[in-house]
Amino acid sequence: MGRSVWAVPLASLLAFGLVLGSVEASLGDVDPRYRTCVRECQTTGIIGENVISHCQFKEDNTSVGGSWYNQEQIYIQWKELNCMTDCRYFCMTRREGERQALGLSPVKYHGKWPFLRVSVFQEPLSAALSAVNLLMHFTGWLSFFLLVNYQLPLRPQAKRTYYEYTSLWHIYAILSMNAWFWSSIFHTRDIDLTEKLDYSSAVALLGYSLILSLLRAFNVKDEASRVMFAAPILAFVTTHILYLNFYELDYGWNMKVCVVMAAVQLLTWAVWAGVSRHPSRLKVWTVVFGGALAMLLELYDFPPYMGYADAHSLWHASTIPLTCLLWSFIKDDAKFRTATLVKKAK
């Protein structure tokens, strides 16, 4: 789908939005006409004027002189997967055309609104905005890296940064970029594997951000104490990810877990910003409340405008400026803590 580490519950809001997922039983995919269309398409490889080449894999296997890799099981499974995906898409567009002619509103199919593809991109706007978020995190992390290593003073003997949370922010950056990468891939190609990678990455980011919020709020600097704070949460998050991947991808349970972790972080950061009177606390509050308002887009769901822009894609757009503000706070916090520690050292 980390933070002053976390003066910013944005991390929780970002990851929380990433894990808001689909539910299989939707009005569209239980429609008898849609189901019949998909079944016939997978059998014949034809729907209207569209010929689905991926659905011809059975004929490919029996063809004379065919490439050797046509016989490979993994290749056949990939063809079957693309056949199902393409059949669902063309049957969905056909059924939605019929519904529109009758004056009916769009409905969801397999938990998603009927989006229009652009080349291989199933949800082009969400995929593109996820990529932009990834870029914002990369540029934010890069500017932070250059700041703490080349612009701010280093400890004389160890040649390490004065800022105690440097390494934690580096980990946060990696997890954030990983989550947005898989978000982009998932919105490009929604299959079981990409869905699980998207959910797992977002939950990992959310769990880590909870750890960071506690470490920063309680100003935990000792490594042993950090391990004590992190161990129970890491154990729970790891177990939860394993449960989603190897037992059941339970959307309802996953939602409850993410809501609790997000709520704890929001409360932690809201209180910390007020009590600590950090010089950049206004940035923290802006990100927190801006992110909370952006989350309303996830609650107020609506069909994609012109087949592309739905509430979730707009949420992706709203996180871009919040991400920039988040990294701005991180750099401010590094400067503030470094100045304080250098002054004490003198």
Side-chain angles (χ1 to χ4, degrees):
M1 128 255 269
R3 306 72 161 122
S4 170
V5 120
W6 263 92
V8 48
L10 170 63
S12 66
L13 291 169
L14 295 183
F16 179 58
L18 287 170
V19 298
L20 289 175
S22 62
V23 179
E24 280 298 311
S26 301
L27 291 177
D29 49 79
V30 298
D31 185 334
R33 292 187 179 182
Y34 169 78
R35 296 170 73 92
T36 300
C37 175
V38 173
R39 185 167 55 252
E40 292 178 351
C41 174
Q42 289 180 297
T43 302
T44 65
I46 300 174
I47 171 174
E49 299 180 353
N50 298 298
V51 178
I52 313 300
S53 60
H54 298 297
C55 297
Q56 307 300 320
F57 58 89
K58 292 182 181 178
E59 297 179 6
D60 290 343
N61 290 341
T62 59
S63 61
V64 178
S67 301
W68 66 269
Y69 53 77
N70 284 352
Q71 309 301 322
E72 293 292 337
Q73 187 64 28
I74 189 171
Y75 177 75
I76 296 174
Q77 291 176 352
W78 178 251
K79 295 267 285 186
E80 290 176 339
L81 178 62
N82 282 293
C83 171
M84 179 188 67
T85 302
D86 288 346
C87 284
R88 283 182 175 183
Y89 175 73
F90 286 111
C91 287
M92 175 194 71
T93 55
R94 169 194 270 190
R95 187 68 187 114
E96 280 303 302
E98 296 172 349
R99 290 177 58 84
Q100 186 176 14
L102 296 173
L104 300 176
S105 301
V107 294
K108 290 186 176 183
Y109 295 80
H110 304 284
K112 291 192 172 185
W113 291 112
F115 291 93
L116 294 179
R117 286 184 182 179
V118 174
S119 184
V120 298
F121 298 92
Q122 294 180 341
E123 299 176 47
L125 187 56
S126 290
L129 291 172
S130 293
V132 174
N133 272 284
L134 188 158
L135 180 61
M136 292 300 100
H137 275 286
F138 174 74
T139 56
W141 166 78
L142 183 60
S143 62
F144 170 72
F145 177 84
L146 295 174
L147 173 70
V148 295
N149 287 284
Y150 298 102
Q151 298 177 26
L152 296 178
L154 300 176
R155 296 178 185 271
Q157 297 179 343
K159 296 299 180 181
R160 292 185 297 106
T161 64
Y162 277 97
Y163 188 46
E164 312 98 317
Y165 304 99
T166 299
S167 61
L168 297 180
W169 278 113
H170 289 330
I171 296 173
Y172 162 68
I174 293 172
L175 290 176
S176 294
M177 289 186 284
N178 175 70
W180 284 112
F181 171 79
W182 288 115
S183 174
S184 182
I185 296 299
F186 173 62
H187 288 301
T188 298
R189 196 67 167 172
D190 178 6
I191 59 176
D192 184 63
L193 176 62
T194 57
E195 181 181 41
K196 288 182 177 179
L197 286 169
D198 177 47
Y199 273 60
S200 299
S201 299
V203 171
L205 173 60
L206 187 56
Y208 182 74
S209 70
L210 174 59
I211 294 172
L212 292 180
S213 67
L214 296 174
L215 294 179
R216 185 65 181 96
F218 291 97
N219 202 27
V220 182
K221 304 172 186 176
D222 179 72
E223 291 298 327
S225 300
R226 287 182 174 182
V227 171
M228 292 178 61
F229 264 85
I233 300 175
L234 284 176
F236 174 78
V237 170
T238 301
T239 303
H240 180 63
I241 292 175
L242 292 174
Y243 174 85
L244 294 177
N245 282 273
F246 300 106
Y247 184 73
E248 179 184 5
L249 187 54
D250 188 329
Y251 299 102
W253 168 245
N254 185 59
M255 179 66 69
K256 293 176 183 177
V257 170
C258 294
V259 166
V260 171
M261 289 196 292
V264 172
Q265 291 175 70
L266 289 173
L267 180 61
T268 299
W269 285 114
V271 173
W272 176 85
V275 173
S276 67
R277 301 190 64 80
H278 193 283
S280 297
R281 59 185 177 278
L282 290 180
K283 290 184 179 180
V284 176
W285 285 333
T286 301
V287 172
V288 171
F289 294 110
L293 291 176
M295 286 305 301
L296 294 178
L297 290 170
E298 292 292 344
L299 302 177
Y300 180 64
D301 199 11
F302 56 83
Y305 178 71
M306 300 294 290
Y308 299 106
D310 69 332
H312 186 67
S313 63
L314 295 181
W315 176 82
H316 280 307
S318 69
T319 58
I320 294 173
L322 294 178
T323 297
C324 295
L325 190 58
L326 164 63
W327 280 103
S328 176
F329 161 77
I330 297 170
K331 290 184 287 185
D332 287 349
D333 191 48
K335 294 175 184 177
F336 171 69
R337 290 296 305 162
T338 299
T340 301
L341 293 173
V342 168
K343 184 178 181 180
K344 288 183 178 180
K346 294 180 178 179

